[in-house]
Amino acid sequence: MANHDLIARIRTRIDELNRSERKVADVILRDPNAAIGMSIATLAQAATVSEPTVNRFCRNFDTKGYPDFKIQLAQSLAGGTPYVSRSVESDDDAGAYTDKIIGATIAALDEARRTVDPKRIERVVDHLSQARQINFFALGASAPAAFDAHNKFFRFNLPVSAHNDVLTQRMIAAAAHTGDVIVVISYTGRTRELVEVAQLASDSGATVIGITREGSPLAEVCTDLLPVDLAEDTEVYMPMASRMIHMALIDVLATGVTLRRGKSFLPHLRKIKESLRPTKFPPAKE
């Protein structure tokens, strides 16, 4: 990643750091603007670690030392939406946790906007546009994204389904054929059942698209991947911002397929939209 993505790199790699280095990361991510103004001694004291630990942490992120690290940290803040701490504390009031969650979502979406690979989008749109049928699989907190995808893609005049039941997923994967596309959505990419289903679908000849973390077990068995590498604390709280990115990517893919269909397909989409008009009350008169 480029220098302006230093904060994103710290968040993504935080689980790889040792305990002392993670303390340094926590202080920096809690308030990057304040960290820029700290001396190495002040940062070490705030993180309750030694100055050599801070230097080692900085070198882990391909910087020459602490001064160079602070320059790149400043570039990171200038390059995109400022990082907002995701850490919800037990004593947060409604204003604090509302600001944290919404702010973190804005920052995560901006990060996704800057880092998404258009070539990968094009490849996945290719797969979806040529599919004989499409199935969206997810479990738990990722399931709403799968059902949102079903709502978008059924309009394209091809068989589409969404499932959050593992047994149904396994049967569909086992019965899949070449030309079928199965999209598997998972924040962690480490759910054993989903990895097994993806492998089963791949063995059956289906194209398997993963919307998940790059380098995860799920990513390793997919035909193609749209990576969502977002650091979230899911030990206590369910994934938050990652679900918004999943849904945004679904909208991107649905738009890509619509554009591939061309202008001649627009009357069909308009007909579906107009079918809903009788279900709504007319707008209120001013």
Side-chain angles (χ1 to χ4, degrees):
M1 293 184 182
N3 290 348
H4 65 264
D5 290 323
L6 177 60
I7 292 176
R9 287 160 54 204
I10 295 173
R11 293 206 306 269
T12 299
R13 293 182 51 198
I14 195 166
D15 291 337
E16 304 171 10
L17 303 176
N18 63 38
R19 184 177 179 182
S20 295
E21 292 171 346
R22 192 177 300 181
K23 289 181 178 180
V24 178
D26 286 341
V27 172
I28 293 169
L29 294 180
R30 191 177 305 124
D31 192 345
N33 285 294
I36 291 172
M38 292 181 180
S39 67
I40 188 171
T42 303
L43 178 57
Q45 183 177 14
T48 63
V49 300
S50 66
E51 292 183 25
T53 296
V54 175
N55 269 320
R56 186 170 61 249
F57 170 87
C58 296
R59 289 193 296 270
N60 276 343
F61 290 91
D62 302 320
T63 63
K64 299 175 182 178
Y66 187 58
D68 184 42
F69 178 87
K70 291 206 295 182
I71 291 173
Q72 292 197 27
L73 182 61
Q75 291 172 341
S76 181
L77 289 175
T81 301
Y83 175 74
V84 181
S85 174
R86 292 173 169 55
S87 182
V88 175
E89 306 294 342
S90 59
D91 58 350
D92 282 348
D93 60 19
Y97 61 72
T98 298
D99 182 69
K100 286 180 178 181
I101 292 171
I102 295 177
T105 300
I106 293 170
L109 286 168
D110 183 67
E111 180 184 326
R113 178 186 62 82
R114 292 184 290 111
T115 59
V116 68
D117 184 351
K119 292 182 180 179
R120 290 195 180 197
I121 295 291
E122 288 285 349
R123 288 202 306 267
V124 174
V125 169
D126 284 341
H127 292 308
L128 294 169
S129 298
Q130 299 168 22
R132 186 174 69 93
Q133 63 177 352
I134 304 173
N135 295 279
F136 293 93
F137 291 171
L139 297 174
S142 297
F147 290 110
D148 182 60
H150 174 264
N151 183 51
K152 302 283 171 50
F153 277 80
F154 90 92
R155 306 161 193 256
F156 295 127
N157 273 350
L158 75 163
V160 177
S161 66
H163 302 278
N164 64 342
D165 173 75
V166 171
L167 298 182
T168 303
Q169 291 173 356
R170 290 186 70 91
M171 289 187 287
I172 291 173
H177 296 90
T178 300
D180 294 348
V181 174
I182 293 179
V183 182
V184 185
I185 305 169
S186 171
Y187 163 63
T188 66
R190 293 186 286 108
T191 304
R192 187 181 303 275
E193 290 89 345
L194 281 179
V195 176
E196 292 176 351
V197 165
Q199 185 65 67
L200 183 58
S202 181
D203 292 343
S204 299
T207 296
V208 182
I209 307 299
I211 302 180
T212 188
R213 295 179 70 92
E214 193 157 29
S216 66
L218 175 58
E220 295 300 317
V221 300
C222 289
T223 310
D224 218 327
L225 178 71
L226 286 182
V228 178
D229 295 322
L230 176 67
E232 285 194 286
D233 180 9
T234 59
E235 296 302 317
V236 178
Y237 304 105
M238 64 182 177
M240 299 174 187
S242 59
R243 290 178 300 160
M244 300 299 102
I245 297 177
H246 290 163
M247 289 186 175
L249 287 175
I250 292 298
D251 285 345
V252 168
L253 296 176
T255 300
V257 173
T258 300
L259 294 175
R260 290 287 179 87
R261 293 294 177 96
K263 293 183 178 180
S264 62
F265 190 67
L266 295 181
H268 170 76
L269 295 178
R270 191 175 297 112
K271 180 181 179 182
I272 294 176
K273 186 71 174 178
E274 290 176 352
S275 73
L276 300 177
R277 186 171 297 173
T279 69
K280 294 180 172 62
F281 287 109
K285 295 181 179 180
E286 295 183 0

